[in-house]
């Protein structure tokens, strides 16, 4: 079994360069099959979620050439067939093949999606969107068969501004007849990135980044090249690291506007930062002020940074997190209490008493962002922290161990 071993307490300095966004790349790659010609995507992070998508494409018969962080996908020889469950259940985002295959072939057979266990994570809004476009949905055991004679543009109101549902409906609607309007659409930067990508391919999408997105269906999408935006969650994670143990730690290749909610919370906690156009230089303050975090849809504080900021909250006199997006995203709190935190959960609120000196022990990464939170905790804890189940972390953070060693962290992957 592979574990991460961390010796905490070291100040970190130097530079961490942010990779392409996981949550953007995992949508762009399935979307590429909508084209009838080759697609080139740059700045794709080298993480295991991307490996699983690449395997899915190859299984479907697409040609995939991967050189470092550049992907060339030629979907000309694609065959529409069910992706085997042992590939598709490796990540949640394999559900983007639903919208893409349905849009292109008007039919798709897909197993239920996998991904982090952070709540019940239904996909009813995705399915309602496909139905509104004219598709029929049959549940066969643990898979969906979705088909339509033709997809017809329509007005779709999302009961919740879901990232996944917004993207999936955009993918299908791109090849529907006529105009689709998605109301109460998600506004995350990943939505804007995929809309730009599809428009480069010849789609007609307006309003991405606002709550109303209009899509006029087209018959053909052409080849193009496109760059994945910087990962705002990876950036946020390392900015928090700087606030914990940084000594002029530079986090570069990020878009500060994408993590504004985090930056304003860190300022409120007393952290000083030098914010450039594409980088942030950050140092640990002498002490932290109390803050409370409330997760919200973009541009609010992202649920994906709620776990990574947990170690910092243990260092405040008092703090709280209210988790509004997922109902089961406090799985990491048990490990933080084991490390010496004083955290109580009351419904969707976690209440912190502090500051607490964390002390290394053996803990388990329960999901991707929980794992990242535990790495940061290990870096401020006394003695040695051992993290198990590290596959979760490697799914989403490119070269995390190398990036941390480069700035002086004592961290290694060990086989036990
Ligand atoms: C995406 C991100 C994930 C992030 C989340 C919220 C990817 C691959 N993952 O996940 O990292 O934490 O956005 O920013 O991009 N919901 C429904 N029905 C649906 C869809 C969603 O009830 O059909 C609910 C979910 O259970 C959840 C909330 O809506 O409570 C938000 O989910 P959503 O925005 O869809 O998240 P994901 O796309 O799964």
């Amino acid at each position: 079994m592979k574990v991460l071993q961390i010796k905490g307490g070291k100040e970190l300095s130097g530079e961490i360069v942010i990779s392409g966004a996981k949550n953007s790349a995992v949508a762009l790659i399935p979307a590429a099959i909508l084209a009838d010609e080759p697609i080139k995507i740059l700045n794709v992070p080298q993480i295991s979620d991307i490996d699983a998508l690449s395997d899915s494409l190859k299984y479907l018969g697409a040609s995939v050439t991967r050189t470092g962080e550049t992907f060339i996908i030629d979907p000309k020889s694609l065959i529409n067939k069910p992706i085997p469950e042992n590939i598709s259940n490796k990540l949640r985002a394999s559900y983007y093949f639903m919208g893409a295959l349905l849009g292109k072939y008007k039919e798709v057979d897909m197993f239920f999606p996998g991904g982090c266990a952070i709540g019940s994570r239904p996909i009813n809004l995705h399915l309602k969107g496909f139905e509104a476009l004219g598709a029929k949905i049959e549940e066969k055991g643990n898979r969906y068969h979705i088909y339509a004679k033709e997809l017809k543009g329509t007005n779709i109101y999302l009961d919740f501004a879901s990232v996944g549902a917004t993207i999936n409906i955009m993918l299908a609607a791109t090849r529907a007849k006529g105009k689709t309007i998605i109301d109460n659409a998600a506004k995350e930067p990943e939505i804007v990135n995929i809309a730009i990508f599809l428009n480069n391919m010849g789609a007609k999408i307006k309003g991405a980044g606002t709550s109303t997105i209009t899509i006029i269906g087209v018959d053909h999408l052409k080849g193009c090249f496109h760059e994945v935006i910087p990962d705002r969650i990876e950036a946020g994670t390392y900015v928090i690291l700087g606030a914990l143990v940084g000594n002029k730690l530079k986090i570069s290749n990020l878009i500060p506007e994408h993590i504004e909610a985090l930056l304003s919370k860190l300022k409120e906690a007393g952290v000083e930062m030098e914010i450039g156009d594409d980088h942030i230089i950050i140092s640990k303050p002498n002490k932290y002020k109390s803050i409370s975090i409330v997760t919200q849809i973009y541009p609010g504080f992202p649920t994906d940074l709620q776990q990574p900021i947990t170690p910092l909250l243990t260092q405040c006199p008092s703090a709280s997190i209210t988790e509004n997006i997922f109902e089961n995203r406090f799985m990491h709190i048990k490990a933080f209490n084991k490390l010496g935190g004083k955290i109580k959960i009351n419904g969707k609120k976690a209440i912190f008493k502090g500051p607490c000196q964390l002390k290394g022990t053996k803990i388990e990464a329960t999901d991707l962002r929980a794992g990242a939170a535990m790495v940061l905790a290990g870096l401020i804890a006394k003695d040695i922290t051992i993290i198990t189940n590290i596959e979760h972390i490697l799914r989403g953070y490119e070269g995390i161990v190398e990036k941390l060693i480069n700035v002086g962290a004592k961290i290694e992957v060990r086989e036990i």
Side-chain angles (χ1 to χ4, degrees):
M1 178 176 57
K2 276 191 177 141
V3 300
L4 271 179
Q5 178 170 304
I6 303 169
K7 181 157 175 21
K10 272 214 73 190
E11 250 184 17
L12 306 184
S13 50
E15 182 177 4
I16 297 180
V17 181
I18 297 308
S19 302
K22 168 181 105 58
N23 285 353
S24 186
V26 297
L28 296 170
I29 290 172
I33 65 164
L34 280 163
D36 300 316
E37 295 161 10
I39 295 283
K40 187 171 181 178
I41 309 177
L42 312 174
N43 201 29
V44 178
Q46 302 192 45
I47 50 176
S48 57
D49 268 12
I50 299 296
D51 301 338
L53 289 175
S54 177
D55 290 346
S56 302
L57 284 175
K58 287 180 191 156
Y59 179 82
L60 293 173
S63 129
V64 182
T65 317
R66 202 171 163 182
T67 321
E69 286 163 353
T70 301
F71 256 69
I72 298 175
I73 301 165
D74 186 348
K76 263 182 247 147
S77 48
L78 206 78
I79 300 164
N80 186 15
K81 55 183 178 177
I83 299 167
E85 191 175 17
N86 65 341
I87 305 179
S88 70
N89 73 3
K90 286 201 179 130
L91 76 164
R92 184 146 187 87
S94 50
Y95 59 30
Y96 290 133
F97 279 110
M98 282 187 183
L101 289 167
L102 180 66
K104 187 159 188 167
Y105 299 105
K106 317 296 171 232
E107 181 166 13
V108 57
D109 217 309
M110 277 287 302
F111 285 94
F112 294 172
C116 287
I118 51 176
S120 62
R121 305 190 84 179
I123 60 161
N124 59 313
L125 300 173
H126 305 229
L127 301 176
K128 265 170 80 178
F130 297 150
E131 273 177 334
L133 290 169
K136 296 248 178 322
I137 299 172
E138 286 167 10
E139 248 182 80
K140 290 181 175 170
N142 58 347
R143 56 197 237 205
Y144 295 107
H145 179 217
I146 310 173
Y147 57 98
K149 253 204 185 114
E150 73 170 2
L151 296 174
K152 275 196 193 148
T154 184
N155 284 25
I156 298 169
Y157 173 81
L158 295 179
D159 294 326
F160 185 87
S162 151
V163 174
T166 303
I167 293 180
N168 237 339
I169 296 168
M170 276 166 70
L171 296 179
T174 295
R175 294 289 299 269
K177 290 246 172 312
K179 190 200 275 186
T180 300
I181 297 175
I182 310 175
D183 267 316
N184 198 28
K187 295 183 281 202
E188 272 70 0
E190 293 75 23
I191 309 275
V192 179
N193 200 227
I194 187 104
I196 293 172
F197 178 56
L198 292 168
N199 283 344
N200 283 345
M201 285 159 72
K204 294 183 176 160
I205 302 173
K206 280 192 179 158
T210 75
S211 31
T212 303
I213 300 178
T214 306
I215 305 136
I216 313 261
V218 295
D219 290 333
H220 161 74
L221 290 169
K222 61 179 191 315
C224 72
F225 77 91
H226 186 78
E227 188 165 348
V228 181
I229 51 171
D231 195 313
R232 64 193 167 98
I233 305 302
E234 188 200 17
T237 304
Y238 290 128
V239 168
I240 296 166
L241 173 73
L244 285 168
V245 285
N247 177 5
K248 298 208 166 112
L249 184 67
K250 182 175 183 183
I251 317 297
S252 60
N253 188 37
L254 52 74
I255 301 175
E257 293 90 319
H258 286 177
I259 49 169
E260 227 162 68
L262 169 70
L263 299 181
S264 68
K265 278 292 157 189
L266 290 178
K267 281 180 202 153
E268 208 181 305
V271 179
E272 281 181 19
M273 290 166 276
E274 193 186 311
I275 303 174
D277 287 343
D278 66 350
H279 68 268
I280 295 177
I281 298 170
I282 183 162
S283 299
K284 171 190 185 322
N286 288 334
K287 56 180 179 181
Y288 303 92
K289 295 181 194 148
S290 298
I291 53 170
S292 52
I293 302 288
V294 179
T295 66
Q296 280 162 348
I297 55 174
Y298 190 81
F301 194 95
T303 172
D304 283 354
L305 285 177
Q306 174 261 98
Q307 291 158 303
I309 204 169
T310 299
L312 190 140
L313 301 185
T314 65
Q315 304 308 302
C316 298
S318 67
S320 71
I321 303 171
T322 305
E323 170 56 54
N324 285 320
I325 310 295
F326 291 107
E327 69 276 17
N328 191 17
R329 217 170 191 180
F330 284 139
M331 305 244 288
H332 61 301
I333 296 296
K334 199 169 147 198
F336 272 84
N337 282 334
K338 196 172 164 197
L339 287 163
K342 287 189 187 134
I343 313 165
K344 279 196 179 137
I345 298 172
N346 185 3
K348 56 183 191 173
K349 196 163 182 180
I351 299 152
F352 294 67
K353 263 196 192 155
C356 301
Q357 167 70 62
L358 303 185
K359 193 169 170 332
T361 181
K362 190 172 175 188
I363 45 180
E364 181 191 341
T366 45
D367 60 81
L368 166 60
R369 306 300 170 190
M374 290 173 197
V375 171
L376 300 196
L379 290 166
I380 57 167
K382 257 192 184 164
D383 306 334
I384 304 280
T385 301
I386 306 269
I387 306 176
T388 61
N389 247 352
I390 61 170
E391 290 68 26
H392 280 304
I393 307 171
L394 306 179
R395 272 189 44 219
Y397 286 85
E398 180 178 63
I400 183 166
V401 175
E402 296 76 13
K403 286 185 186 185
L404 289 172
I405 289 174
N406 266 340
V407 292
K410 295 268 177 242
I411 177 169
E412 60 180 308
V413 177
R414 285 193 47 203
E415 196 75 50
I416 59 166

